[in-house]
Amino acid sequence: MASPSDTFVTGANPLRDPADRRLPRIAGPSGLVIFGVTGDLSRKKLMPAVYDLANRGLLPPGFSLVGFARREWQHEDFAQEVHDAVKEHSRTPFREEVWQQLIQGMRFVQGTFDDDAAFEQLRDTIKELDEAQGTGGNFAFYLSVPPKFFPKVVQQLKKHGLADQADGAWRRAVIEKPFGHDLVSAKELNAIVHEVFAPDQVFRIDHYLGKETVQNILALRFANTLFEPIWNRSYVDHVQITMAEDIGIGGRAGYYDGIGAARDVIQNHLLQLLALTAMEEPASFDADALAAEKTKVLGAVRLPEDLGKGTVLAQYAGGWQGGEKVIGYLQEEGIDPHSKTDTYAAVKLRIDNRRWAGVPFYLRTGKRLGRRVTEIAVVFQRAPHSPFDHTATEELGQNALVIRVQPDEGVTLRFGSKVPGTSMEVRDVSMDFAYGESFTESSPEAYERLILDVLLGDANLFPRTEEVELSWKILDPIEQYWEKNGKPPQYSAGTWGPVEADEMLERDGRSWRRP
Ligand code: BG6
């Protein structure tokens, strides 16, 4: 939770967007240091998010941004880089006066992670910013670097006294995924990080939790009376959680090969979506209470007994996507032509508790699928008895509540309705809530929300150590099984995945939704 000293409410900030005026959540004096500042994530997401926060008046006037990288840059080169990234990727319009204020606190430190002099320089830079910008010693260190560098960076922060919280100032570490590649490595990383930072100083990013539509799962479930009474095994037939992407692996071969879809997406994003969908109501909306419920439900997740039948990994072959011919995974630049890495993963999970016993949760993700869509579909049982003729209800499916996470953000309720006319024919219709129609403000990017929360010390939307470890515990046996059991089958790019995944649901008398 944000402590009062983390938050300050400005009387009048001329740069604040009127739409944000009712938000009291403004970061207090602080700065952000980004390691890996020349990377894609930094350029496309982090720098634009910092600007968007400044533009919305949610950062303090003296906010400082420090880039740390190997590049031979001067402060001005770094500022130019941020400028270009902001111009290209920020969500809100570019305003010169906001930029001019932000640039005052921009600094660059050149060096490698084992360069002691560079970390000394970082310490001096922070001191200088405290004086020039009034950052009060409050700094977050964002590790936007491959996990193999986490230990080194964290140890350097310790060695150079950068993790010390002296005189009421705070220091925080922000860690990007992947957090390890299995349970053992995740535990090792956790141990290293916690040698230096206390648990409340560590913020692990799962950017899905920063999405408005994902936070809305809790509002939908716990701020209403309508859904919760039927949110259980007595009414729910099964749940499908889909995160489909139409893109391939792009320029990320180095990161992706050997990792694959299950580790990249199921271990974090999809298991977090499952946890929010299935957990019990937390005692309050605070970090401890939320983590306790998510941990409980993740601890109750069970894998299918036969992993060969209850899980599917696959790899995209060439095909057609959006009218364009695209190459297969094995032909992508930088990929080992014999690679067994999965670009598609589907799993059937059980949750062994009173609410969910017997209700399967089907999770799937993949690259180069039919279209980009993330959704959670809660599919309800059929009516126990129908007074209508079979022929009259042929086109009636199962009721479903679909949380449309992206791109067409909203919620759909699907149910049967009489077709107008002289006979009683019942067919599926849907009732829609769309963010664009109900709200005038546009949703912030996930990274805006998460960076602001880090600066506020608000840990609600950040998975804890236990959640990360439990998620690996779920995934490890699947990875180990497929490691031993051969090459993943292929699916054509632009389709909805391999036939094996369809067969997995057919065996249960069900089918995947075609969102
Ligand atoms: C990342 C994965 O965590 O999420 C990527 O590493 C994936 O492989 C991305 O493309 C998708 O994020 P979003 O927000 O575009 O759904």
Side-chain angles (χ1 to χ4, degrees):
M1 284 293 284
S3 68
S5 65
D6 284 336
T7 315
F8 82 137
V9 181
T10 48
N13 183 339
L15 302 181
R16 264 184 96 184
D17 184 326
D20 291 319
R21 259 180 230 281
R22 65 200 152 83
L23 290 174
R25 302 179 80 247
I26 302 171
S30 54
L32 180 70
V33 179
I34 304 180
F35 293 99
V37 79
T38 51
D40 233 33
L41 180 76
S42 176
R43 232 188 42 254
K44 291 194 180 142
K45 299 287 182 190
L46 307 184
M47 294 171 179
V50 166
Y51 168 80
D52 286 323
L53 285 171
N55 200 10
R56 294 165 64 204
L58 302 179
L59 296 182
F63 179 80
S64 299
L65 179 67
V66 182
F68 186 111
R70 245 182 331 201
R71 260 340 123 84
E72 301 263 339
W73 279 347
Q74 302 300 318
H75 298 312
E76 300 73 45
D77 303 317
F78 172 57
Q80 184 60 43
E81 201 60 27
V82 180
H83 181 269
D84 296 348
V86 165
K87 279 257 164 143
E88 196 177 346
H89 299 291
S90 70
R91 182 179 64 85
T92 61
F94 189 82
R95 290 199 285 157
E96 192 58 36
E97 66 272 31
V98 175
W99 176 251
Q100 286 306 328
Q101 186 167 332
L102 201 54
I103 207 175
Q104 303 298 322
M106 269 183 217
R107 303 287 186 277
F108 183 71
V109 175
Q110 196 255 328
T112 56
F113 300 142
D114 45 19
D115 179 355
D116 284 325
F119 279 84
E120 283 299 301
Q121 202 197 324
L122 177 59
R123 209 179 55 188
D124 294 344
T125 303
I126 286 178
K127 247 195 229 144
E128 182 261 313
L129 284 168
D130 284 344
E131 278 160 30
Q133 295 286 106
T135 33
N138 302 316
F139 276 83
F141 301 101
Y142 200 121
L143 276 67
S144 176
V145 298
K148 64 175 182 217
F149 296 120
F150 291 174
K152 188 78 217 170
V153 177
V154 167
Q155 279 151 8
Q156 287 284 49
L157 290 173
K158 180 181 181 182
K159 184 170 168 192
H160 297 276
L162 288 155
D164 300 343
Q165 311 194 89
D167 306 325
W170 54 255
R171 295 291 158 98
R172 292 172 187 146
V174 188
I175 300 181
E176 262 297 334
K177 60 172 272 268
F179 202 76
H181 61 269
D182 57 13
L183 180 59
V184 173
S185 56
K187 279 189 164 168
E188 281 167 10
L189 275 181
N190 276 327
I192 290 167
V193 171
H194 289 307
E195 249 173 53
V196 179
F197 291 100
D200 66 350
Q201 288 178 279
V202 180
F203 292 74
R204 289 180 191 78
I205 296 269
D206 183 319
H207 80 280
Y208 263 61
L209 298 181
K211 291 181 191 274
E212 278 293 335
T213 43
V214 172
Q215 293 163 47
N216 192 39
I217 299 170
L218 296 182
L220 182 93
R221 290 190 56 198
F222 303 127
N224 298 299
T225 49
L226 201 53
F227 307 113
E228 212 47 24
I230 53 170
W231 210 260
N232 56 53
R233 68 187 304 272
S234 304
Y235 295 94
V236 176
D237 178 71
H238 71 281
V239 176
Q240 293 189 20
I241 303 181
T242 299
M243 178 194 155
E245 294 186 284
D246 51 2
I247 51 169
I249 51 139
R252 297 170 78 219
Y255 158 75
Y256 200 87
D257 206 33
I259 296 269
R263 285 192 180 97
D264 183 40
V265 168
I266 293 189
Q267 188 273 338
N268 37 77
H269 308 325
L270 295 199
L271 284 175
Q272 284 291 325
L273 293 184
L274 173 142
L276 295 173
T277 306
M279 72 184 207
E280 296 302 316
E281 180 175 320
S284 69
F285 188 62
D286 89 2
D288 288 340
L290 279 167
E293 295 307 336
K294 282 199 281 169
T295 305
K296 231 164 47 188
V297 79
L298 287 171
V301 169
R302 300 285 175 266
L303 288 169
E305 264 153 39
D306 183 346
L307 287 171
K309 291 220 166 83
T311 67
V312 175
L313 300 188
Q315 202 177 63
Y316 64 80
W320 288 86
Q321 193 131 41
E324 210 182 292
K325 198 167 169 53
V326 294
I327 54 174
Y329 180 73
L330 297 178
Q331 290 84 52
E332 298 275 10
E333 202 183 323
I335 297 295
D336 168 7
H338 305 291
S339 172
K340 285 164 61 180
T341 299
D342 49 301
T343 61
Y344 176 99
V347 298
K348 172 184 171 181
L349 300 175
R350 293 195 329 255
I351 299 178
D352 276 358
N353 62 21
R354 183 171 285 245
R355 187 193 280 262
W356 294 116
V359 178
F361 280 66
Y362 300 102
L363 276 49
R364 66 175 161 165
T365 184
K367 302 252 182 223
R368 287 270 183 246
L369 295 182
R371 61 178 272 244
R372 173 175 182 256
V373 59
T374 300
E375 63 163 44
I376 301 163
V378 180
V379 182
F380 293 92
Q381 296 168 13
R382 289 184 184 280
H385 166 256
S386 168
F388 311 112
D389 288 345
H390 173 66
T391 49
T393 54
E394 262 176 348
E395 291 187 53
L396 175 66
Q398 280 167 276
N399 296 165
L401 182 82
V402 184
I403 298 170
R404 303 194 313 266
V405 174
Q406 62 186 30
D408 174 24
E409 289 87 359
V411 180
T412 299
L413 186 62
R414 190 181 70 187
F415 56 96
S417 176
K418 180 183 174 302
V419 180
T422 51
S423 63
M424 180 52 101
E425 188 192 341
V426 185
R427 193 190 291 167
D428 279 340
V429 294
S430 58
M431 223 152 62
D432 270 341
F433 148 59
Y435 275 74
E437 283 169 19
S438 299
F439 300 115
T440 48
E441 7 358 348
S442 64
S443 296
E445 278 279 325
Y447 280 96
E448 285 171 64
R449 173 63 197 259
L450 296 176
I451 290 173
L452 179 63
D453 282 1
V454 169
L455 300 176
L456 289 166
D458 185 342
N460 285 12
L461 302 179
F462 298 83
R464 295 265 174 96
T465 314
E466 303 78 48
E467 293 168 59
V468 172
E469 292 186 1
L470 279 169
S471 302
W472 281 120
K473 221 168 152 182
I474 296 167
L475 206 68
D476 275 3
I478 303 176
E479 293 288 351
Q480 285 155 9
Y481 177 90
W482 288 109
E483 184 76 37
K484 277 197 225 118
N485 286 278
K487 222 171 144 53
Q490 295 212 316
Y491 58 98
S492 299
T495 65
W496 279 97
V499 288
E500 287 80 356
D502 293 334
E503 288 164 3
M504 179 171 105
L505 262 71
E506 275 161 25
R507 280 192 291 274
D508 291 349
R510 302 189 175 99
S511 58
W512 290 108
R513 287 170 43 80
R514 292 280 177 261

